Every structure is written in structure tokens, then in C-alpha cells.
Amino acid sequence: RGMSSVTIPPPACMLRPLEAPFRYLFGPGPSNVPPRVLAAGGRPIIGHMHSEMFGIMNDIKKGIQYAFQTSNNMTLAMSGSGHTAMECALFNIVEPGESVLVAINGIWGERVAEIAERMGAKVHTLVKTPGGHFTNAEIEQALAKHKPVLFFLTHGESSAGLVHPVDGVGDTCHKYNCLLLVDSVASLGAAPLLMDQQNIDILYTGSQKALNAPPGTAPISFSERACHKMFNRKTKPVSYLLDMTHLSNYWGNDGKPERTYHHTGPVSGFFALRESLAILAETGLENSWKHHTEVAEYFWKGLEDLGLKLFIKDKDLRLPSVTTIAIPEGYNWKELLAYIMKHHRIEFAGGLGPSVGMLLRIGLMGYNCNKANAAMALAALEDALKQCRMSKA
Ligand code: PMP
């Protein structure tokens, strides 16, 4: 009897209601979710293997093909955040002992290099300080030297606020029999990217940035070339959950007549993702890119009028979704962020990984991307600059 009696009481916190305050999420993500997407996520659950659910997944696939500008059949959404897509790409494409080349100009390259190292790849890196970018000639040199099977590049480097040029990189990779993997978590929908035309082999994004869905799902797509490599490997990928032979069946991409159970997908997350992709389709990609650029330019001008310095000097290399500013002299960045959160209910962020202490990051993406929000962010900064100057004691 003693063995079956409860000894740990219900925790007091669980007897209090959930508290999730309203915040203006003007950091690098997650961003605020429009009511329409929240409502889609709040619909009654259906089974993950019901025909209606497969229909919704087929719609999501079409929505991702539009957002990525790809006709790749091997297009799906991962059950998990952006990191899940990162690991899925590496685990499926690369076999232990193979060589990969990673462009590091902020935290995302660092992460990918670590994931590749953990799975036993031979990792080579091209490194710049945050805000730096790589020329096609530099990339070509490294490809020729290291002969990697995969090259990783971050399109929207959210830790630095840089949008990396992609034109020509895919062709160069293919010249060296290398696949191109691109991270567009922070840029998709905000800055132009054309998967097929730019010869990107594997592209992934996240749900919680410009797409404005809740965190927890991550669109990804693989080219024919990428499929050829990942479905002709000698070893099985280290992860069962992220094995594309199973996931391609779950998403109805493998040509088999039946989908069989692999894992239970995040049903509500898929409802919300479908709705956010529908909004992007209704808006139109080009309108979305143009809108992000216009609001970003308005915001950049306002920052300069406040005497702040933009971290990325070249306008053409600035990520429209996440703006980075140098920490103004005479201020403690943590104090600025805390003041703005406390008095304006606005989230901005500091640096991340190698950019910590170098900059502040302000994201205006998707639903949050409009001049009224940009003006509110500017007013909050102006107030904080007045109130938070460090005394020169
Ligand atoms: N890549 C980039 C460019 C990102 O901005 C992020 C999220 N900040 C990620 C990858 C990782 O995504 P997640 O946090 O959803 O795993």
C-alpha cells in the first residue's frame, strides 16, 4: 500500500492560473502572432493520420513551395523549431567522415559547425566577425581546397543583422560537386530568396519569424540533387525522428500509396502554420519583401535621427526583418533592454553568441512590420536614451 501512495503534493503554482502577459515582440523572434493564426491554432484537434490532416499537410507543402519558390517534391515542415530543420539537413545529407564547409559570420554558422562535428563530419570553416560576408571567390577557394559534400550559408544572419548575397553560390557549389544548404529562418518572407532559381539544394526556415506562426514548426525543402545524396547513403542517419526516409512518407512525398505512423506531428502547430502560409500567399511574396524593406528603411532613418549607428553600414546588406544597432556610448545595453521592457512592454534583444555586447537587435517582421510599430520602437528607444545614460562617476 505504501508503495502506491502519493508523497509529492500538487505544486502550489499549478493551483494558480496561467499568466502570459501581452508583450510587443520586437526582438529577433518569436514575433507577435496575428489573431487569425492564433485562432487557427486553437481549432479542435484532429488525428495526425486523419485524411483531413493529410489534406492540411498537402496545403502546407504547397504553401512552402510558394514561399521558397521551389517545385521540389521533397518539401515538408519539421515537427520542431528551426534547430530541428538544421539537424535534419545535416543528419540526412552528411555521413560520418564526410567533409562539410561552414560559413561562420555569427552564431548560426557556429551552431551548424558544432552539429556537424557532433555527428562525426569533418568540419571546415570560413570565418568572419559578425556583420562580415563572404565573396563568391572566397567561397570557391574554400570549396576547391576542402572538397566538402555540403556548404552551409546563413541568408538572414539574425545575430548580426546581415542578409547574405546568395546569387552564384549554388552554381559554384555544384561546380565542385557540393550541395548548398541555406538557413532562412530570420529572412523568409522579408528578403528575396528564390530556392530553385538560386540553385539552393536544401533550404529551411522557422515558423515564428516573418511567418508569424507560433514557434515549433520549421519548413524545409530538398532538391533532386539533395534527395539523390540522402537516399543513396551507406549508413542510416543518426536520428530516427529526423530520418527523411520516414518523414518523406509521413508527408506523402515518397510516392507510396500509404502513409504509415512515424511520429505524432504537432497538429495545432500545423493548423497555425497553414494559416500563416495562407496569409503570405494572399499578400504575395514580392509585396511582403517590398513592405519589409519600406518599413525597415523608415525605421533605419528614425534610428539615425536619434543619433544611433546602424551596425551594418551597407544598406544592401541589412536584413530588413532584424535591424542591428551599435550599443550607444555611455549606456549599458542590459539596462536599456530592461528599461524598455518595464516601461514600454517592448522586447528588443542584445547580441547573440559572438555578437553579445556589440549590438542591440530590433525585429519588425510580418504582422509586426508596419510604420506605427516602427514609430513605437523609436519612441521607446528615445525615452530609454534619455533615462538610462550612465553617470560618469
Ligand atoms: N537560424 C536563424 C537565422 C535564426 O534566427 C534562428 C532563431 N533565432 C535559428 C536558426 C534557430 O531557430 P529556433 O530557435 O527556432 O530553433
Side-chain angles (χ1 to χ4, degrees):
R1 200 194 151 266
M3 288 293 281
S4 64
S5 64
V6 166
T7 56
I8 297 174
C13 65
M14 283 303 157
L15 307 176
R16 293 195 294 269
L18 166 73
E19 264 180 59
F22 176 81
R23 297 245 154 88
Y24 296 99
L25 301 178
F26 298 170
S31 54
N32 293 97
V33 175
R36 181 177 155 184
V37 175
L38 281 179
R43 311 255 320 180
I45 302 295
I46 59 174
H48 62 296
M49 305 283 294
H50 291 181
S51 61
E52 294 85 354
M53 194 66 219
F54 291 152
I56 288 164
M57 290 161 78
N58 293 344
D59 294 347
I60 289 173
K61 179 175 162 178
K62 289 257 189 300
I64 299 170
Q65 286 173 327
Y66 172 68
F68 283 7
Q69 287 294 289
T70 182
S71 49
N72 290 335
N73 167 56
M74 202 51 69
T75 300
L76 63 154
M78 304 300 305
S79 306
S81 80
H83 278 83
T84 319
M86 254 159 141
E87 293 204 332
C88 176
L90 287 157
F91 289 173
N92 284 280
I93 296 291
V94 184
E95 293 195 69
E98 287 183 332
S99 172
V100 301
L101 178 66
V102 182
I104 301 180
N105 56 342
I107 196 174
W108 304 109
E110 288 184 355
R111 284 279 162 95
V112 164
E114 162 141 21
I115 293 166
E117 198 182 293
R118 284 179 185 224
M119 57 142 294
K122 264 192 232 129
V123 181
H124 304 281
T125 57
L126 265 174
V127 185
K128 299 254 163 147
T129 50
H133 72 284
F134 307 89
T135 64
N136 287 3
E138 287 171 316
I139 294 169
E140 177 153 10
Q141 238 176 24
L143 290 169
K145 185 170 169 201
H146 302 299
K147 304 192 173 48
V149 298
L150 184 72
F151 173 56
F152 171 83
L153 186 66
T154 312
H155 181 234
E157 225 313 336
S158 55
S159 65
L162 181 103
V163 64
H164 202 290
V166 178
D167 278 345
V169 180
D171 292 331
T172 310
C173 285
H174 294 165
K175 198 166 129 191
Y176 292 87
N177 205 18
C178 172
L179 298 167
L180 173 61
L181 166 63
V182 173
D183 176 323
S184 70
V185 172
S187 56
L188 187 90
L193 193 63
L194 304 161
M195 183 176 193
D196 287 359
Q197 284 177 51
Q198 291 177 308
N199 283 315
I200 299 166
D201 292 293
I202 308 107
L203 181 64
Y204 63 84
T205 192
S207 56
Q208 77 273 27
K209 311 262 180 168
L211 280 178
N212 298 133
T217 60
I220 190 166
S221 180
F222 297 83
S223 70
E224 287 282 337
R225 224 183 266 256
C227 288
H228 182 79
K229 169 112 177 62
M230 78 179 164
F231 295 133
N232 287 286
R233 33 188 301 157
K234 294 177 204 79
T235 59
K236 285 186 181 179
V238 65
S239 168
Y240 185 89
L241 179 61
L242 305 182
D243 187 332
M244 277 301 298
T245 54
H246 297 304
L247 292 175
S248 65
N249 176 263
Y250 182 31
W251 280 81
N253 293 347
D254 66 352
K256 299 215 171 114
E258 288 242 340
R259 304 192 196 194
T260 53
Y261 170 71
H262 171 248
H263 74 281
T264 308
V267 172
S268 314
F270 287 158
F271 291 167
L273 179 63
R274 187 199 178 283
E275 200 68 12
S276 69
L277 288 164
I279 291 173
L280 184 60
E282 288 163 17
T283 307
L285 257 185
E286 283 158 312
N287 289 333
S288 183
W289 297 335
K290 190 165 161 263
H291 178 66
H292 280 83
T293 305
E294 281 170 6
V295 172
E297 282 175 352
Y298 169 84
F299 186 52
W300 299 337
K301 164 93 175 43
L303 291 169
E304 281 167 344
D305 290 346
L306 287 177
L308 292 163
K309 287 200 178 61
L310 286 146
F311 184 72
I312 305 290
K313 299 278 170 296
D314 184 343
K315 252 190 183 184
D316 293 335
L317 293 174
R318 278 184 206 150
L319 183 60
S321 44
V322 181
T323 293
T324 44
I325 47 181
I327 294 161
E329 234 174 279
Y331 292 89
N332 174 321
W333 62 272
K334 285 187 186 165
E335 247 175 64
L336 284 172
L337 296 182
Y339 178 87
I340 289 166
M341 176 62 89
K342 182 167 176 214
H343 295 277
H344 296 268
R345 287 202 289 171
I346 297 177
E347 175 194 53
F348 296 155
L352 186 65
S355 68
V356 170
M358 293 171 82
L359 46 83
L360 297 177
R361 302 185 295 158
I362 301 170
L364 293 168
M365 359 188 174
Y367 182 60
N368 281 347
C369 180
N370 57 58
K371 286 189 181 167
N373 281 345
M376 188 159 73
L378 290 168
L381 271 168
E382 186 174 17
D383 178 34
L385 290 173
K386 274 192 203 126
Q387 302 300 327
C388 302
R389 178 171 281 285
M390 287 189 289
S391 59
K392 295 203 183 99

